[in-house]
Amino acid sequence: MSRKVGMISLGCPKNQVDAEIMLKKLVDAGYILVQDADKADVVIVNTCGFIEDSKRESIDAILEMADLKEDGILQKILVTGCLAQRYADEVFAEIPEVDGVIGIGANDDIVAACDALFESDEQYSAFPDKEKLPLDGGRILTTPEYTAYIKIADGCSNCCSYCAIPSIRGAFRSRKIEDIVDEAKTLCEKGVKELIVVAQDTTRYGEDIYGELRLPELLDELNKIEGLQWIRLLYCYPERITDELLDAMVRNEKVCHYIDLPMQHADGEILKAMNRKGDKESLLALVEKIRAKIPDVILRTTFITGFPGETEESFTVLSEFVNEAKIDRVGCFAYSREEGTPAYDFPNQVDPEVAASRAEVIMDQQFRISEEKLGEYIGKTLDVLVEDYDPYTDSYYGRSYMDAPDIDNTVIFTSGYRIDNGDIVPVEIFDKEEYALIGEAV
């Protein structure tokens, strides 16, 4: 009898792509995929281990599966992903109900790992070279059928002092352009309209295998794919936003004028301590340059408050930058002190409550900026990718080119004609509320 497998995948879209590849391997091997954990024989918890909050979410998910196993509902639990790679021994020690833990280098052997759980009552583990992580292969999409993430590289060589990703995922390694394009074509043949390009640093793409940055060339090739309508860029590092990249965004009509640009701070000394480049003046100049080349561009960024050594003065520099740059989309997070990173041992650690309070200040500032910017779209018409319909309010929900899924804003609108999820329709905006635009399909 075929065994039933369920999966809980946590963390970033890059981890989600890994999950989709593993699911395809399991289904091809005869496993039956189920949506509900209480209907599965084995559940895979594909974890995130980036910061404290994500680690806690992963642990809570494992504990929830352990309760199902204790109640006799579930037979086996396999833990994969970044937390598994980072804390294998601790997972077994702290949660003995777990049957197996494998590192990210074992994702390619997910079928053998699941099979092994049923062949023995011994706890199973496998940690081959993590750079063997499969970057190619079929996938079972866990996103809506019209949207897909496409991972163009894995690992990271930036070595920011607060980040454990290089030690977890290994050095940055790009996929070949032809392999990415082939996968993108396959996805679009199955109905994908929006491709979201991801890597730990998408702007570094190609440097390791071609000896130069090749993201502009990759965009040129993706833009040729039939059926594809939107290409969205996430995780673009400020120091590698080149004229060539901006020109590629302008000449390729399918590339959304949207750049996710993780800046992390604006004070030069804090950025230097983070092993990042730049300062307030250089970042303001970059923002001005991008907006001059792409006037309708939407910029998204993230900031960290409370990094070791952040004084009131350096926080003020960040606060002033937020007010001056007026970035369209901002997320701000209190620093998470992660063992195994250089910053863990830095002097002048900031009280976590102070860090959290400063993050709230930045988000309060951003709320006012967002209110102002949303008002600029009243009276304009935007193409909106439809994602949901509420029959009680007779309203549709979707995203414009300005918004990535799960992290950005929403467009709420009514329509005098029927619309299906995945359709892209013109919507005239007539109002706003908090982080949403309100409109009507035209």
Side-chain angles (χ1 to χ4, degrees):
M1 183 175 68
S2 297
R3 295 191 177 101
K4 298 175 182 177
V5 60
M7 180 177 282
I8 299 168
S9 190
L10 305 168
C12 69
K14 301 178 288 294
N15 207 39
Q16 186 173 353
V17 172
D18 293 346
E20 293 173 349
I21 293 172
M22 287 190 281
L23 287 175
K24 181 66 162 60
K25 291 180 180 296
L26 287 163
V27 169
D28 286 349
Y31 279 80
I32 298 171
L33 180 61
V34 295
Q35 297 296 322
D36 300 322
D38 59 5
K39 293 181 174 61
D41 299 312
V42 54
V43 167
I44 300 166
V45 184
N46 192 39
T47 59
C48 179
F50 180 47
I51 59 174
E52 192 59 39
D53 286 349
S54 58
K55 288 187 286 188
R56 173 48 55 190
E57 182 184 23
S58 295
I59 292 167
D60 287 345
I62 299 169
L63 289 172
E64 186 178 347
M65 295 305 100
D67 288 341
L68 290 181
K69 183 180 176 185
E70 194 79 8
D71 293 339
I73 298 172
L74 177 64
Q75 294 182 48
K76 302 290 182 179
I77 302 168
L78 178 65
V79 180
T80 64
C82 289
L83 186 83
Q85 181 70 41
R86 193 175 180 189
Y87 297 108
D89 294 339
E90 290 91 333
V91 171
F92 277 140
E94 298 296 327
I95 314 175
E97 294 87 352
V98 169
D99 300 282
V101 179
I102 63 172
I104 59 174
N107 285 3
D108 204 26
D109 302 316
I110 187 65
V111 175
C114 286
D115 288 348
L117 300 185
F118 293 94
E119 294 167 358
S120 170
D121 290 332
E122 296 293 319
Q123 289 179 319
Y124 177 87
S125 64
F127 288 85
D129 181 0
K130 57 192 164 192
E131 298 201 357
K132 287 175 58 181
L133 180 66
L135 295 173
D136 299 301
R139 293 159 56 186
I140 292 179
L141 290 185
T142 56
T143 52
E145 61 185 9
Y146 46 81
T147 293
Y149 296 98
I150 188 159
K151 186 157 67 167
I152 64 173
D154 211 313
C156 188
S157 298
N158 290 329
C159 299
C160 301
S161 63
Y162 52 81
C163 182
I165 293 299
S167 64
I168 297 171
R169 289 265 172 184
F172 186 86
R173 49 205 187 277
S174 303
R175 299 171 62 190
K176 294 179 180 178
I177 287 179
E178 53 266 31
D179 292 337
I180 298 168
V181 172
D182 284 347
E183 181 185 4
K185 287 179 179 177
T186 299
L187 290 168
C188 293
E189 287 167 1
K190 294 178 179 178
V192 167
K193 296 179 180 179
E194 177 188 34
L195 274 182
I196 305 172
V197 177
V198 295
Q200 201 63 34
D201 174 0
T202 55
T203 39
R204 196 164 192 156
Y205 172 72
E207 183 183 67
D208 55 317
I209 58 173
Y210 299 120
E212 61 183 3
L213 303 178
R214 288 285 188 92
L215 183 57
E217 181 181 336
L218 176 62
L219 295 179
D220 289 342
E221 295 304 312
L222 292 175
N223 193 73
K224 299 174 185 176
I225 297 175
E226 283 188 34
L228 181 58
Q229 296 188 45
W230 286 358
I231 303 167
R232 188 180 301 278
L233 291 175
L234 298 188
Y235 316 124
C236 302
Y237 275 52
E239 58 266 34
R240 281 183 277 275
I241 299 292
T242 62
D243 287 336
E244 290 79 11
L245 175 58
L246 297 177
D247 290 342
M249 294 183 68
V250 171
R251 69 175 172 263
N252 290 303
E253 71 280 0
K254 296 179 182 180
V255 177
C256 295
H257 289 176
Y258 174 105
I259 306 177
D260 176 271
L261 193 71
M263 296 176 178
Q264 310 304 11
H265 214 279
D267 179 81
E269 290 303 312
I270 295 296
L271 284 168
K272 184 177 180 181
M274 290 177 166
N275 198 33
R276 301 293 295 262
K277 299 184 185 300
D279 54 24
K280 177 185 172 185
E281 289 70 29
S282 65
L283 290 173
L284 284 172
L286 175 62
V287 169
E288 183 178 344
K289 172 183 174 179
I290 295 171
R291 287 174 171 160
K293 284 220 172 227
I294 313 175
D296 64 341
V297 72
I298 295 297
L299 298 178
R300 173 179 173 79
T301 196
T302 49
F303 297 118
I304 297 172
T305 54
F307 187 80
E310 185 187 63
T311 62
E312 285 294 339
E313 289 76 16
S314 50
F315 173 69
T316 297
V317 172
L318 173 60
S319 177
E320 290 173 348
F321 175 81
V322 170
N323 282 333
E324 292 177 37
K326 296 188 184 300
I327 303 294
D328 303 273
R329 311 282 188 261
V330 168
C332 188
F333 309 93
Y335 167 69
S336 177
R337 190 181 185 187
E338 294 299 314
E339 64 269 31
T341 64
Y344 185 86
D345 296 317
F346 281 3
N348 303 314
Q349 297 283 331
V350 176
D351 184 287
E353 290 187 4
V354 173
S357 175
R358 289 174 179 173
E360 289 181 8
V361 170
I362 297 299
M363 291 311 296
D364 285 344
Q365 290 178 235
Q366 183 59 30
F367 181 79
R368 293 190 292 272
I369 293 168
S370 179
E371 282 264 295
E372 175 187 330
K373 284 183 167 288
L374 287 177
E376 296 173 0
Y377 291 92
I378 294 176
K380 295 183 178 180
T381 298
L382 298 170
D383 286 339
V384 175
L385 175 63
V386 182
E387 295 195 297
D388 200 7
Y389 172 70
D390 182 355
Y392 295 102
T393 61
D394 193 24
S395 297
Y396 291 90
Y397 294 79
R399 296 179 288 110
S400 72
Y401 81 92
M402 302 187 292
D403 305 301
D406 300 324
I407 55 175
D408 287 327
N409 298 356
T410 301
V411 180
I412 305 170
F413 65 98
T414 56
S415 174
Y417 55 92
R418 176 183 170 81
I419 303 172
D420 294 323
N421 287 353
D423 289 349
I424 297 178
V425 299
V427 175
E428 184 176 0
I429 306 301
F430 60 77
D431 202 358
K432 61 180 175 63
E433 59 177 39
E434 293 194 348
Y435 289 105
L437 292 171
I438 313 298
E440 182 175 5
V442 295

